[in-house]
Amino acid sequence: MLGLMQDHPLLISGLLDFAARYHGDTEIVSRRVEGDVHRTTYAQVQRRAAQCANALDALGLQAQDRVGTLAWNGYRHFELYYGVSGSERILHTINPRLHPDQIAWIVNHADDRMVCFDLSFAPIISAIAPRCPGVRHWVALCAPEALPAELSALPGLLSYEALLAAQSAQYTWPVFDENTASSLCYTSGTTGNPKGVLYSHRSTVLHAYAAALPDVMNLSARDSVLPVVPMFHVNAWGVPYAAALTGTKLVFPGPALDGKSLFELMQAEGVTLAAGVPTVWLGLLNFMRDNALRLPALQRTIIGGAAAAPAMIRAFEEELGIHVLHAWGMTEMSPLGTLCSLKNKHLALSKEAQFAIQVKQGRPIFGVDVRVVDGNGTDLPWDGKSTGNLLVRGPWIASDYYRSDDPSPLQDGWFPTGDVVSIDPDGYIQITDRTKDVIKSGGEWISSIELENIAMAHPGVAMAACIARPDPKWDERPLLVVVRREGSTLDRAELLQFYQGKVAKWMIPDDVVFVPAIPLGATGKMLKNRLREQFAESQSAAAG
Ligand code: ADP
């Protein structure tokens, strides 16, 4: 027997309709590429998303055609999120930090019909356009008078504002199967070609509900949320959808992601929640420390995408009074998997005992089912100690990659995350490594994240990466690559001494290399594969 409930598909257009109707005057604030601050509202966004959808119709784009974007976090990108997906096309967010060769490859693999871009990415468009014959329209996100001169000869060049101005602000969003594809995002492809993850309307709306939950982002119509995480990286972790679902004010930072710019925007817009990867928080943390500044409105930050070092979490909590929610997820998971917040029984614990939980990646959100297994696929106990591969499944987790020649990655219906973890009896997950980053020394595994976290706790360290260096006796040994804090004279011996008593002796890195900077990938994560290539052969003074 079926239930007697109305059958309404979960569609992305419904999120914007809701926000425009019930939170129409709630603001969307954007720092633009031009440097100024732009203000709009959900009601205006809905009108312009409708104009955008009408423009796509007028240009002859079909349902399910792919529309690429190369854009920062801002109101026009936000309009495209709804105008494109709402009208049954697929929004393909492209990471502009990738190499132009990779971008051209992705545009062709996705078979994009249109690509919309911020003016700062005009050089990328010049480089890729001749190699992307399938793209019929190159839409610059600007007024017609601002169209870049360097692209004037580009066939199919259009101004977004001119396109919208020619269209009506009335549009009836089509109603279709909620399992229809809505958006496409490629993984950064640190190994091999990037892989396309194809989200659906259903997965996106369910993920938005989950993101808004109290123990996740705890979003409400009283919040002001700033996604530092880019809209080209897993839909800014779903914030643009979850904010509409809750009527939350949105603040978009555009390209200005340095500590000073973020601080000023957060202060001016009363931001209560911000979300981003650890490397961007370092900039904000240092700026606020150096200038003895505070953000009284900012209650919490979500830090994820890479391990947040306990020292960073402590600095936010104790020095700045900002609560940190450590989160874990991946592109294939829309991305939210776990988030770390305490349970009632933890409230009676000492501050230090609470902190020991808070530094973990957190517990699964309803909708994400997890298992930890050994190399044979046998389940390991949830004892907080046994480490193995993490498998996940759920309605917003990928079942396959877009246009992939490989078989589905699923194992018995479970997606292998490639992360090595332990799970404690309360379900809190701790990531010890990515399978490809773990250091295998004499048959034992050493967690690179654990060694990095210790280095990050030293006041002289700004950033640290721990990588495996081949070793004739032990197979691999840990090598620490460190960026010193400005003004620090920290040396190798002092840093290695700092490890004494914090981990078993055999886990202490063999050597330390000081570098001016650690290479970061397109999503702001440390490129350990690059470091391995660079330093794997280096001679250690100690080992030599
Ligand atoms: P990629 O970096 O490969 O493009 P993602 O951005 O989807 O893909 O990264 C997902 C991976 O990032 C996870 O599998 C995990 O290894 C790592 N990661 C994400 N969040 C955390 C975290 N809080 N702690 C440690 N690792 C994390």
Side-chain angles (χ1 to χ4, degrees):
M1 193 188 306
L2 292 178
L4 291 173
M5 290 292 122
Q6 297 181 11
D7 188 14
H8 289 282
L10 301 172
L11 298 179
I12 286 172
S13 54
L15 297 172
L16 184 60
D17 276 347
F18 170 84
R21 182 165 307 155
Y22 302 105
H23 304 277
D25 60 355
T26 296
E27 280 188 306
I28 319 289
V29 180
S30 313
R31 192 193 293 275
R32 296 205 285 189
V33 176
E34 298 88 323
D36 62 342
V37 171
H38 173 276
R39 315 187 86 82
T40 182
T41 61
Y42 278 114
Q44 286 169 23
V45 166
Q46 191 196 37
R47 286 195 286 277
R48 283 174 48 99
Q51 288 176 303
C52 171
N54 279 319
L56 299 175
D57 288 357
L59 290 170
L61 269 87
Q62 304 296 308
Q64 299 293 280
D65 272 354
R66 268 75 63 204
V67 175
T69 60
L70 275 162
W72 297 110
N73 291 7
Y75 66 103
R76 292 183 179 120
H77 206 176
F78 187 59
E79 292 158 8
L80 287 162
Y81 261 53
Y82 287 95
V84 172
S85 301
S87 64
E88 215 186 335
R89 281 96 186 185
I90 298 173
L91 180 85
H92 171 205
T93 51
I94 306 167
N95 188 332
R97 296 192 185 119
L98 294 173
H99 189 277
D101 288 347
Q102 252 181 340
I103 296 179
W105 186 91
I106 289 176
V107 167
N108 290 327
H109 188 265
D111 200 12
D112 290 336
R113 282 285 157 270
M114 175 190 276
V115 173
C116 306
F117 59 97
D118 270 336
L119 289 180
S120 39
F121 303 125
I124 299 179
I125 303 299
S126 292
I128 67 167
R131 288 184 268 164
C132 300
V135 178
R136 288 194 217 119
H137 313 285
W138 299 94
V139 180
L141 296 170
C142 65
E145 57 276 13
L147 279 173
E150 63 197 286
L151 294 179
S152 57
L154 180 67
L157 180 69
L158 297 166
S159 137
Y160 178 75
E161 292 301 336
L163 269 181
L164 261 57
Q167 300 299 330
S168 148
Q170 297 300 319
Y171 192 85
T172 307
W173 301 112
V175 176
F176 44 84
D177 184 342
E178 64 186 20
N179 289 298
T180 305
S182 60
S183 25
L184 177 63
C185 181
Y186 282 73
T187 61
S188 56
T190 38
T191 50
N193 277 327
K195 294 192 280 279
V197 180
L198 189 62
Y199 309 106
S200 70
H201 284 259
R202 172 185 156 83
S203 73
T204 303
V205 175
L206 289 177
H207 182 268
Y209 270 112
L213 286 171
D215 272 359
V216 188
M217 294 187 184
N218 191 16
L219 281 177
S220 87
R222 293 170 300 287
D223 276 309
S224 167
V225 60
L226 186 146
V228 186
V229 51
M231 290 167 80
F232 53 75
H233 187 211
V234 218
N235 304 319
W237 298 352
V239 170
Y241 303 115
L245 178 136
T246 45
T248 303
K249 172 178 173 179
L250 269 164
V251 183
F252 290 126
L257 303 178
D258 59 287
K260 181 170 187 283
S261 306
L262 287 177
F263 176 83
E264 287 169 359
L265 194 61
M266 288 187 190
Q267 191 181 43
E269 300 304 329
V271 168
T272 55
L273 168 69
V277 296
T279 45
V280 302
W281 294 128
L282 271 180
L284 181 73
L285 198 56
N286 289 338
F287 179 77
M288 290 179 67
R289 268 179 173 159
D290 295 349
N291 298 286
L293 297 167
R294 291 289 177 275
L295 283 167
L298 187 62
Q299 297 153 0
R300 55 207 197 278
T301 58
I302 299 174
I303 307 185
M312 175 186 276
I313 300 180
R314 202 185 280 281
F316 267 109
E317 296 269 341
E318 292 176 5
E319 289 178 39
L320 306 179
I322 300 167
H323 183 51
V324 171
L325 295 156
H326 196 187
W328 166 86
M330 53 198 309
T331 306
E332 290 88 336
M333 301 176 67
S334 299
L336 294 176
T338 66
L339 208 117
C340 200
S341 54
L342 301 179
K343 296 183 180 181
N344 193 32
K345 66 176 179 183
H346 297 138
L347 300 182
L349 297 176
S350 69
K351 275 267 169 272
E352 277 312 301
Q354 290 183 354
F355 188 73
I357 301 169
Q358 216 190 317
V359 297
K360 296 188 178 193
Q361 277 75 6
R363 50 193 163 83
I365 301 163
F366 173 78
V368 177
D369 218 359
V370 300
R371 282 169 67 199
V372 55
V373 298
D374 67 13
N376 302 317
T378 308
D379 280 276
L380 291 170
W382 289 20
D383 56 9
K385 291 194 276 288
S386 312
T387 56
N389 300 316
L390 178 65
L391 308 180
V392 292
R393 69 175 181 193
W396 56 80
I397 297 171
S399 62
D400 207 346
Y401 292 104
Y402 176 65
R403 288 197 171 161
S404 162
D405 296 330
D406 299 327
S408 156
L410 298 196
Q411 300 171 0
D412 281 337
W414 293 79
F415 180 85
T417 61
D419 285 329
V420 182
V421 309
S422 64
I423 308 182
D424 74 15
D426 288 318
Y428 287 79
I429 290 178
Q430 183 148 26
I431 313 262
T432 57
D433 243 313
R434 286 185 140 185
T435 322
K436 52 188 185 234
D437 292 336
V438 74
I439 299 155
K440 299 180 185 99
S441 173
E444 298 285 346
W445 287 12
I446 302 178
S447 158
S448 67
I449 294 179
E450 188 180 357
L451 297 186
E452 286 158 10
N453 284 346
I454 293 172
M456 289 294 287
H458 192 288
V461 173
M463 204 183 278
C466 194
I467 54 169
R469 184 166 60 185
D471 184 276
K473 184 165 176 203
W474 304 105
D475 288 335
E476 291 178 353
R477 289 292 302 154
L479 169 73
L480 199 61
V481 183
V482 170
V483 181
R484 286 191 190 92
R485 280 282 300 270
E486 222 175 279
S488 159
T489 53
L490 174 68
D491 64 14
R492 172 183 180 279
E494 187 188 342
L495 187 50
L496 292 181
Q497 180 59 34
F498 190 64
Y499 279 85
Q500 295 294 335
K502 298 193 171 77
V503 281
K505 276 210 157 46
W506 61 272
M507 289 189 181
I508 296 178
D510 279 8
D511 204 358
V512 182
V513 201
F514 290 96
V515 293
I518 287 173
L520 299 181
T523 51
K525 304 187 195 189
M526 299 190 291
L527 283 180
K528 294 198 193 172
N529 52 347
R530 183 88 59 82
L531 290 176
R532 279 192 290 266
E533 282 160 24
Q534 199 176 339
F535 293 111
E537 305 306 325
S538 74
Q539 287 301 310
S540 137

